[in-house]
């Protein structure tokens, strides 16, 4: 498959193979499945961790749990940026400017933690 349309022909063959695998899988599923699958008693009941549910289906969650989760994700994702910096910092050519940039980054993180601490978001009641 050479020439201008060679890459398009390759793409077309890959797409056709993908469609054939998809159709073949669904066809095999239709042929191999039971005609009338058994419906045991209690199959469609909800359960939680293998235990029958107790109480109603609505429960109110306090907002502070979401705040803790949000703060964790925020600082965990920002902490991930420290690892590539630590790897690059060891290479030659990255000097005082790299340290200053990371200092600004860590200062913004610290400012966020201080803000959350001052607003008493981090206190567990």
């Amino acid at each position: 498959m050479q020439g201008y349309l060679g890459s398009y022909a390759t793409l077309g063959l890959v797409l056709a193979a993908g469609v054939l695998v998809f159709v073949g899988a669904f066809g095999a599923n239709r042929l191999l499945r039971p005609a009338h699958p058994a419906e045991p008693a209690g199959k469609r009941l909800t359960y939680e961790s293998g235990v029958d549910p107790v109480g109603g289906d609505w429960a109110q969650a306090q907002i502070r749990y979401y705040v803790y989760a949000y703060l964790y994700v925020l600082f965990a994702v920002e902490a991930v940026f420290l690892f590539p910096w630590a790897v690059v910092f060891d290479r030659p050519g990255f000097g005082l400017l790299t340290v200053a940039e990371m200092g600004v980054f860590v200062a913004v993180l610290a400012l966020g933690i201080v803000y959350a601490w001052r607003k008493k978001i981090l206190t567990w009641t």
Side-chain angles (χ1 to χ4, degrees), residues 103-114:
V104 169
F105 181 75
V106 171
V108 170
L109 284 179
L111 188 66
I113 291 176
V114 168

Side-chain angles (χ1 to χ4, degrees), residues 85-102:
W85 173 79
V87 171
V88 169
F89 180 69
D90 191 31
R91 296 185 182 160
F94 296 94
L96 191 58
L97 182 63
T98 308
V99 174
E101 289 175 359
M102 190 48 63

Side-chain angles (χ1 to χ4, degrees), residues 9-112:
T10 305
L11 177 65
L13 287 175
V14 169
L15 287 175
V19 167
L20 284 175
V21 168
F22 182 79
V23 169
F26 273 89
N29 181 26
R30 186 166 293 264
L31 290 174
L32 298 176
R33 72 177 182 175
H36 300 288
E39 189 76 31
K43 179 179 180 180
R44 297 187 187 268
L45 287 178
T46 58
Y47 68 96
E48 195 166 320
S49 301
V51 179
D52 291 333
V54 177
D57 60 347
W58 186 83
Q60 185 175 3
Q62 294 186 9
I63 192 68
R64 72 170 154 238
Y65 300 125
Y66 296 107
V67 172
Y68 282 115
Y70 177 72
L71 286 173
Y72 171 75
V73 168
L74 178 74
F75 289 113
V77 167
E78 289 180 351
V80 166
F81 289 115
L82 292 172
F83 293 109
W85 173 79
V87 171
V88 169
F89 180 69
D90 191 31
R91 296 185 182 160
F94 296 94
L96 191 58
L97 182 63
T98 308
V99 174
E101 289 175 359
M102 190 48 63
V104 169
F105 181 75
V106 171
V108 170
L109 284 179
L111 188 66

